[in-house]
Amino acid sequence: MGDWNTIAVPAQLPDNNIPWYTSAKKMSPSSLSIHVLSSPLPLSESTHSFSSAFCTDENIEQSLSYLNMELTTLGFPSLYADSKGKELHVVSVLNCMNELLQLQRRHLRTREEAETQHLKLSSDMDHLQNCYAKLKEQLETSRRETVGLQERDRQLQCKNRNLHLLLKNEKDEVQKLQNIVASRATQYNHDMKRKEREYNKLKERFHQLLMNKKDKKLAMDVLNYVGRVDGKRGGWRTGKTEARNEEEMYKVLLNEYEQRQKQLLVENAELKKLLQQMKKEIISLLPPQKQKPKEKAEDGNGTVNVLSDVEDDSGEINKENMWELSCDTVREQLANSIRKQWRMLKNHVEKLDNQALHVHSRTLNNSDTISREDHELEVERLQLEIQQCKEMVKTQQQLLQQQLTSPSDDDTSLLLKDCYLLEEKERLKEEWKLFKEQKKNFEKERKSFTEAAIRLGLERKAFEEDRGTWLKQQFLNMTSEPYKFEHVKLQSALSGSSDSDSPLTNFRSCQKKSNNLFSDICQTQHELAKSSSTLLDKTSTYRKPSQVKREKQQKILPSGPVASDDTYSLHMWLPANSCTEHLDNLP
Amino acid sequence: MDFSECFKLSNQLCRFSPDGKCLASGVQYRLVVRSANTLQILQLFTCVDQIQHIEWSSDSQFILCAMYKRGVVQVWSLEQPDWHCKIDEGSAGLVASCWSPDGRHILNTTEFHLRITVWSLCTKSVSYIKYPKACQQGIAFTKDGRYMALAERRDCKDYVSLFVCSDWQLLRHFDTETQDIAGIEWAPNGCVLAVWDTCLEYKILLYSLDGRLLSTYRAYEWSLGIKSVAWSPSSQFLAIGSYDEKVRILNHVTWKKITEFEHPVTVTSPKIVVYKEMEKSPAVETDKLPFPPSRTMASSLFSTKSKYEIVQLPASLHHVKPAVDRANPRIGVGMLAFSSDNCFLATRNDNIPNAVWIWDMQKMKLFVVLEQLCAIQLFQWDPCRSRLAMCTANSRVYLWSPAGCVSVQVPVEGDFQVVSLCWHSTGDSVALTSKENFCICYLEREAEEVK
């Protein structure tokens, strides 16, 4: 940025300078022009000082005229009202100033814009340069790679060529060796034959010698000859025996062949049966398809028509038990018909396959996806439901636990009931204790009341005695003074004594109230028990499917009276257990 | 399971008679005939030299003892102990001797396979068959004993001759398209003859009784071919074991391959049960040991117990790398046997010598693999049930049935290494032979049923 500034300032100069010079020539305010000329370079820095130095008290006129000239050259209206330049027109001056200021602002804005543009461009430039460098690098590496690959390719080709050469050599070698082997073999055979001939000659010679020599040792020494196994005597060798032997041999062969033929016949028959069955099945499978090709055939080709005729014929023969015939006559027909039917079946199956594929693809395209979505939704829903159910089960269990500090179990209900009763008893005991305490309190109160009553009675007695004495006195005094007043006082005293009786009655009512409260408590207890038992019933119905399991578990449980520890343990294992069961019960 | 006491024998000569009543064993010069049930000695015959081969006649009346070194065959009769017969092949020498199926003729092969002499016990007649071929299995009789097939070699070409056994008349004579016949074998129905070529080439030919070529089968070329061949008892399948460690099963109608069974080193399929024999030394209770240890005690102490365990799959089997530059390499399927009920096929791949593979022939799949601690010497199916007995040249005998398998220690004093075994014809007992002894192992029927 700094660079730009330094460059930009002199570049501006020439544009400004031209009018400067021209105006100077025209106006020639020597001091000013000198001053101006002397300060073109530090223009930007010293505008302030310059302006302050530009106009002084002495040269107002000159500066005005100069400014006027300058402005007129720049296209502003004249500063003077008249053309002679005597009277300063303030409005125009102000206008000019305003305009100048606006211009200045505009210039500044454009400059800013230019600067930002420049910044942007330079950053772009940087980026592009970077990109360029990177790409250059890439190009370099890829170039290197290609060179490497080319080198490898070349090497491989070289190798390949070598291998080809080797292979060729090997082949040649093999050929050579084979030739050698062959020649050796022939040589070996030749030698063998020669040797064998010699050997044979020797053998012959030996044999002759043996025969000529009449070997005395060559003999059989038998005590007596044994009979033949079959008991017959050996016959002479004649042409007859030879013929008989031949006959026998052929008989043996014939037997063998007959046997084999029989086997083959059986096999054949089975195969034929199979074939027929297959044919039947095919026919039964393809009644509608069979019609169509026939029609087609009638429409199109004569040969196929013939074929179908043939088939019909064979079908007729078939009815006349074709299978007993020799295969030769019907083989071709049979084969043809079978082949044709087979083809039809194949077509049919292919068609079906195609259809199935189509249907499948269609369903895949349309309904299947939806159904899958549905399915997923359903699954989600179900999972949610399961979750809910689980939660419900949990809360139920918690409630159960809260309600019954003793666990409830269907099969162990009796036992559990016992537990429950124990709990209740305990609670009742507590209640009872409370009640007893209350009673004690009441009793205390009663005692105090009775004491108070006794005291009262005593007081009363005393009072009565007092009264008696006082009455006596009064009576003694009455004969003379006011009798009426005394009577009223006695009345009030009597009413006051009746009032003093009320605390005891009060106590009684209080006792009654407490009794009521107790019964109330009892009732609530009872209701609680009832509700819990109903809950138990509910759970028992809920758990029925896994009763077998429970029974097993019951065996594990300690039977008989259950200690509090046991109840605790029961309590402990029940939730987990029931939870798993509920899970089992869930679909 | 009971074991008899053990008896001496030489050259592993121990044979049950075909009727199952007697048991013949050779001890040096002597031939001992025992009752198969009680093992009491019924007869004792003494031969002129050390016996090298014993064979019962088909009617269990005669026993043939061959002494190849002397070129002499002696025949003994069970019914007439006084009766004797001695056949001397003289300077021609003797390399093989066998009964004809009628039990009245003896076929002796002379040295160098010069000829086969047919001696009759009924008449004085002697017949010669010239040009027999020296090969693994050059003579084959049909199961009914009517016909004999013989591999021949004349003028550097292979031939097969078919004889009628009743009068030794040549029935058919035809040349085979083989380089060098390795063996011939009749189908159990007696109508098809399998002829296979030498191991240098994979080629098997099937001939009808009347000499027609029914089919030729070649699985591959150039590498070593057939190693073993077995017919199923029903004649329905022909199993061919070859050097490529596979068994190929041919069917009897088209003589084409039904399937092939591979014998890989690792068993991966989860449906297969792999039993592995595990050895465990018994825990010794030192305080219970008597001070001068008795012999049985000692033997039982030092012998370890073994039992089968089911191995987690995939299981890799112990295998031996064969020497490729040697002749007859130990590779490929060298032993094959169908069970008597056609249901199973037992095989051994020679480069996995400790394993027996049992294949289910109804599903045409591998059923069980048994891996032993030692190399399998021999296995043989029970002639009446699908039960396999195996021996591995140690002191144990192994039995497998579809229900499971057991390893049984032979409770005999001293060292008794079972190198061979043979079933009694009823399948109730097995004769176990070591190099110098034999004993009989009786299998209880009830136990078998329970198992």
Side-chain angles (χ1 to χ4, degrees), chain A residues 542-558:
Chain A
Y542 202 53
R543 285 169 192 179
K544 249 170 197 172
S546 57
Q547 228 158 18
V548 185
K549 222 180 180 179
R550 312 314 288 309
E551 268 162 15
K552 269 186 193 168
Q553 279 159 0
Q554 200 202 348
K555 274 174 197 169
I556 299 164
L557 280 171

Side-chain angles (χ1 to χ4, degrees), chain B residues 51 55 152 206:
Chain B
I51 305 166
E55 194 174 330
E152 292 180 0
L206 294 146

Side-chain angles (χ1 to χ4, degrees), chain A residues 202-213, chain B residues 114:
Chain A
L202 278 170
K203 258 164 99 173
E204 201 69 23
R205 187 71 186 276
F206 183 42
H207 195 240
Q208 262 179 3
L209 279 172
L210 264 180
M211 295 308 274
N212 291 344
K213 204 179 143 192
Chain B
L114 208 57

Side-chain angles (χ1 to χ4, degrees), chain A residues 471-523:
Chain A
L471 269 175
K472 234 189 234 171
Q473 257 185 343
Q474 279 290 330
F475 198 69
L476 288 176
N477 296 338
M478 213 165 111
T479 46
S480 58
E481 274 171 64
Y483 174 78
K484 248 179 194 175
F485 172 75
E486 282 297 319
H487 182 75
V488 171
K489 228 188 180 179
L490 179 99
Q491 275 276 332
S492 71
L494 271 168
S495 72
S497 78
S498 71
D499 252 355
S500 70
D501 249 16
S502 65
L504 204 121
T505 50
N506 245 357
F507 167 70
R508 245 170 223 156
S509 71
C510 210
Q511 202 177 25
K512 234 182 195 175
K513 253 186 197 169
S514 77
N515 256 338
N516 268 344
L517 199 128
F518 175 68
S519 67
D520 269 351
I521 287 167
C522 272
Q523 225 165 11

